Amino acid sequence: MTTQSVSIVMQTTSGTALSFQDHSVEDGVAQELLSGGWNQVAGQSLGVVGDGLTVTHAVAIFGDNGSYAYIANPDGSINQPLMMMRASAGIQGVIPLCRPVRLIAGMTLKVRSAITGTTYVGFNVYCASGRAHIFSGVAGSSGAVTNLTSVINGSDVGSVLTGQTIVKAYVVSATDWDGAEAGGFPAVALIAGNGQSKSFWAQQMVVYNQPQWQEYPARVDLNDVLQIDTDTS
């Protein structure tokens, strides 16, 4: 298996900055990122090194192939996805979180990088209520429709976020949408139970540019799904 260098840097209200770093994150495997780099005490979880601090800004920097990065609550649920960038392909840099997060013992940072050559797709969402989640899938062959499901429990969006209103989302893709890429797709769609399209979020590729939050409301109901429709080339 190949590996990536991954670093997460954070700003807090106290004026203290936090850094987390690992030069051998195994591709395709979700793992905790521990503190390190820039004179930080190495090998500590987020909730240990930052206990009591309030994080306001952050970014996850991947050497390549970033899949996701998020702050996890002590129970393992997703507190908030973190914006990602590939090294040397940042636009916004370290940006404000969707809301400040006060760190407590038991919180962790979870990251995953994609296996080179796979057609990983990730969808990061933040809701009006403050709930957040991440959904993922692997783009299929030409013309295939793929559902994105929870990275936590494998459920569809309608089960995970019933009654919630998505107000921010961004897409992570590993495959271009063009004539040479059979696994490419133009957007992630929120599809109602009756098959009606409710909302779209355009494809974004962290390998080229730092994604940005796409901001507009989309209500999630039971039986809704997130889908990508791959290129038919």
Side-chain angles (χ1 to χ4, degrees):
M1 299 290 289
T2 56
T3 61
Q4 305 296 333
S5 292
V6 182
S7 178
I8 292 177
V9 290
M10 295 178 159
Q11 294 296 131
T12 74
T13 55
S14 70
T16 298
L18 303 175
S19 67
F20 304 80
Q21 189 167 272
D22 189 333
H23 293 297
S24 56
V25 170
E26 185 175 338
D27 290 340
V29 178
Q31 69 175 68
E32 181 182 1
L33 194 69
L34 300 175
S35 62
W38 294 286
N39 299 316
Q40 299 288 314
V41 175
Q44 294 187 334
S45 293
L46 174 65
V48 174
V49 71
D51 190 16
L53 299 177
T54 298
V55 177
T56 58
H57 296 66
V59 69
I61 306 165
F62 285 77
D64 204 354
N65 298 339
S67 295
Y68 60 66
Y70 65 87
I71 297 172
N73 293 313
D75 64 0
S77 61
I78 297 172
N79 181 290
Q80 195 168 154
L82 299 179
M83 185 56 68
M84 297 189 298
M85 59 175 279
R86 181 190 181 194
S88 78
I91 295 176
Q92 304 173 93
V94 182
I95 68 167
L97 300 182
C98 295
R99 71 174 189 279
V101 176
R102 182 171 177 80
L103 302 178
I104 61 173
M107 281 184 163
T108 57
L109 288 173
K110 295 297 180 65
V111 298
R112 181 187 185 276
S113 57
I115 298 172
T116 301
T118 58
T119 53
Y120 177 89
V121 180
F123 185 69
N124 302 260
V125 304
Y126 182 79
C127 299
S129 67
R131 283 190 61 182
H133 211 79
I134 302 173
F135 301 86
S136 69
V138 176
S141 58
S142 296
V145 174
T146 301
N147 282 11
L148 306 184
T149 57
S150 165
V151 300
I152 300 296
N153 59 26
S155 299
D156 285 321
V157 65
S159 297
V160 177
L161 297 178
T162 304
Q164 299 289 321
T165 298
I166 297 171
V167 292
K168 291 184 177 183
Y170 78 88
V171 181
V172 175
S173 171
T175 308
D176 282 320
W177 188 61
D178 62 30
E181 301 283 356
F185 66 98
V188 171
L190 178 64
I191 308 294
N194 64 4
Q196 177 65 48
S197 301
K198 298 173 66 173
S199 191
F200 294 99
W201 293 268
Q203 185 202 55
Q204 296 166 292
M205 295 190 68
V206 71
V207 68
Y208 293 145
N209 292 299
Q210 185 176 357
Q212 298 187 49
W213 289 105
Q214 300 177 51
E215 301 184 38
Y216 43 84
R219 178 180 168 82
V220 178
D221 298 301
L222 188 65
N223 299 322
D224 285 359
V225 295
L226 292 166
Q227 290 185 341
I228 55 172
D229 191 349
T230 55
D231 193 350
T232 57
S233 59

